[in-house]
Amino acid sequence: ETGVTQTPRHLVMGMTNKKSLKCEQHLGHNAMYWYKQSAKKPLELMFVYSLEERVENNSVPSRFSPECPNSSHLFLHLHTLQPEDSALYLCASSQSGGRNQPQHFGDGTRLSIL
Amino acid sequence: EDQVTQSPEALRLQEGESSSLNCSYTVSGLRGLFWYRQDPGKGPEFLFTLYSAGEEKEKERLKATLTKKESFLHITAPKPEDSATYLCAAGVTGAGSYQLTFGKGTKLSVIP
């Protein structure tokens, strides 16, 4: 496996379900990110984990809960989601540093809320 | 508020017809301007990083340039396989080393 791998690629769930998205990076990076991509909108940063520190966008609802057990793995736990949460969820990783380093993305999880 | 605006929203070109995509930014302290390509059903693929005004980067038919207010992605003699959505993102200070502000993208279609 190379690059950034996300599973599952597609997920359909009801509003009362609990599910988790998984991301794994094989690039030796030390920062990982969750983004939300909705139609006609820019990518929206949800969470950042860097050197075991978490930075989050304060507008992200609490029904999204990230977990980063180590520098290679990132999870996004989902519970009681709303229809407007249907979107493509992208994971990315980068090497942290003094200047912004390019982020490398996985192919995303397409989430549909019934 | 940091903003990145891309134009046009969509662009149709005949194969071989060169053109440019625009990315204008209003950010406090640019720490890198990034270009990505995104194909349908895929995640964004990194193309270029530009760090200072006047800098240029090239890759095959693509050339990215940067001024103090905007960046251009020039596409020379495009082919159908260049069809994709091109995303621009600005890295900003004051939000840690890890904040990228993205534009909405330009959807490029190259017609044979």
Side-chain angles (χ1 to χ4, degrees), chain B residues 64-101:
Chain B
T65 62
L66 181 66
T67 72
K68 290 187 177 181
K69 293 183 179 180
E70 56 192 354
S71 177
F72 293 93
L73 185 65
H74 307 277
I75 304 177
T76 301
K79 297 182 178 181
E81 52 262 43
D82 295 321
S83 298
T85 296
Y86 290 86
L87 303 174
C88 165
V92 297
T93 53
S97 298
Y98 324 105
Q99 187 79 27
L100 290 185
T101 300

Side-chain angles (χ1 to χ4, degrees), chain A residues 75-113:
Chain A
F75 296 90
L76 187 63
H77 303 300
L78 317 171
H79 63 97
T80 59
L81 295 191
Q82 302 299 309
E84 61 264 29
D85 297 324
S86 297
L88 181 67
Y89 288 85
L90 292 163
C91 172
S93 70
S94 74
Q95 192 62 33
S96 62
R99 290 196 302 190
N100 283 88
Q101 299 297 309
Q103 296 176 16
H104 296 267
F105 288 82
D107 286 335
T109 294
R110 173 67 63 185
L111 178 64
S112 299
I113 306 300

Side-chain angles (χ1 to χ4, degrees), chain A residues 9 31 33 35 37 40-45 48 50-51 53 55 88 90 94-108, chain B residues 4 9 30-32 34 36 38 41-46 48-49 51-52 87 90-93 95-104:
Chain A
R9 291 297 315 278
Y33 315 77
Y35 284 89
Q37 188 174 35
K40 305 292 186 183
K41 291 186 177 181
L43 267 71
E44 175 189 352
L45 179 65
V48 180
S50 177
L51 300 174
E53 176 189 9
V55 177
L88 181 67
L90 292 163
S94 74
Q95 192 62 33
S96 62
R99 290 196 302 190
N100 283 88
Q101 299 297 309
Q103 296 176 16
H104 296 267
F105 288 82
D107 286 335
Chain B
V4 175
E9 187 173 319
L30 183 72
R31 295 182 66 186
F34 300 84
Y36 288 85
Q38 187 172 22
K42 298 283 190 178
E45 174 190 351
F46 171 68
F48 304 110
T49 310
Y51 287 110
S52 56
L87 303 174
V92 297
T93 53
S97 298
Y98 324 105
Q99 187 79 27
L100 290 185
T101 300
F102 279 84
K104 293 182 180 180

